Amino acid sequence: PMNLFDFVDYCRDQGLPGTELTSYYFPEDTNDEFILKLRRHCHLAGVSVSGGAIRNDFCSQDADKVARAIEHTKLWIDRYALLGAPAIRIFAGTQPKGESLSVTLKRCAKHCQTVCDYAAEKGVFLALENHGGVTATAEGLLEIVHQVDSPALGINFDSGNFKLPDPYAELEKIAPYAVNAQIKVEVVVDGEKQLSDLPRVISILKNAGYSGWVALEYEAAEE
């Protein structure tokens, strides 16, 4: 068992300069006092908070569900801003059955605009991830990004989430918009898992001019 304070200490012990603290692992009764205590702990450990992550769905046709997702996003914008995190990973969502993709993407972009307007006031980036659903391809992800007019919106570059014949070509398309990067040690090519060409992934980021945090998101079966 490990809490967030233990995890920060673990990152320090590994000699890491930063840590990405995901909202799923915060206590249910999290409040400002807890956030400030954690921020102080990170600073004294010499570990920067590289970013955060939440779970949301802005593609739903259910207005109440979307309203809750927007409020959830705003809550964590406030919390991560207080913690000192520069960026928050967000999702787009899944296309409802029977609806055209363009309609879904337009609605998703509208909700992204709402939360990005709020994030911009707090000085926090929202990093939209290539996370399946309507963002299963670079084209779908970029269509949302291009419909949102906000300096607060960027892309969370996840190196292992494109499950296409050439995932590296897709990564090249989204890298110029990256404001955060999560690296996996595996990729999926035509449904088959294989070890990621990590030098190639880093090269894609560098060639796009990316100079930000690179976080390991380890999901392989081997320890």
Side-chain angles (χ1 to χ4, degrees):
M2 181 182 290
N3 62 33
L4 288 170
F5 295 88
D6 297 329
F7 183 67
V8 170
D9 290 342
Y10 176 81
C11 291
R12 177 200 60 201
D13 293 343
Q14 307 311 307
L16 301 176
T19 180
E20 185 173 281
L21 301 178
T22 303
S23 64
Y24 317 157
Y25 306 112
F26 281 68
E28 289 187 11
D29 60 351
T30 291
N31 54 24
D32 287 357
E33 181 182 0
F34 177 87
I35 296 288
L36 292 173
K37 182 179 179 182
L38 182 59
R39 178 171 180 162
R40 181 178 185 275
H41 187 81
C42 290
H43 182 74
L44 293 177
V47 178
S48 298
V49 180
S50 65
I54 64 169
R55 185 184 288 118
N56 65 286
D57 184 349
F58 289 154
C59 290
S60 175
Q61 295 172 323
D62 186 330
D64 290 337
K65 182 178 179 180
V66 170
R68 290 193 297 271
I70 289 174
E71 287 307 306
H72 176 73
T73 304
K74 288 182 176 180
L75 171 65
W76 281 98
I77 289 172
D78 288 340
R79 287 176 170 174
Y80 279 122
L82 186 61
L83 186 61
I88 306 170
R89 189 283 318 278
I90 63 171
F91 293 145
T94 305
Q95 183 182 6
K97 291 183 179 179
E99 182 174 80
S100 69
L101 181 59
S102 62
V103 171
T104 304
L105 293 177
K106 185 176 181 180
R107 183 171 58 252
C108 180
K110 175 185 174 183
H111 300 318
C112 284
Q113 182 72 57
T114 297
V115 292
C116 281
D117 289 344
Y118 188 80
E121 296 175 356
K122 305 294 182 176
V124 177
F125 279 103
L126 295 183
L128 187 61
E129 184 174 311
N130 52 313
H131 189 78
V134 297
T135 59
T137 66
E139 182 181 6
L141 176 57
L142 292 176
E143 188 169 336
I144 297 171
V145 171
H146 290 151
Q147 290 185 60
V148 179
D149 181 17
S150 173
L153 182 66
I155 282 178
N156 186 67
F157 175 104
D158 188 304
S159 71
N161 276 0
F162 283 128
K163 298 174 173 59
L164 298 164
D166 188 355
Y168 298 103
E170 297 293 294
L171 291 173
E172 288 178 352
K173 296 175 184 176
I174 69 170
Y177 303 88
V179 294
N180 190 55
Q182 293 176 331
I183 306 301
K184 292 185 172 75
V185 299
E186 296 174 328
V187 292
V188 179
V189 180
D190 281 336
E192 295 293 328
K193 279 188 178 181
Q194 57 183 249
L195 288 177
S196 176
D197 185 344
L198 294 177
R200 184 176 180 184
V201 171
I202 296 302
S203 178
I204 289 171
L205 286 169
K206 286 185 175 181
N207 290 340
Y210 182 75
S211 300
W213 288 101
V214 176
L216 174 65
E217 186 176 23
Y218 191 82
E219 295 182 341
E222 184 182 356
E223 287 290 342

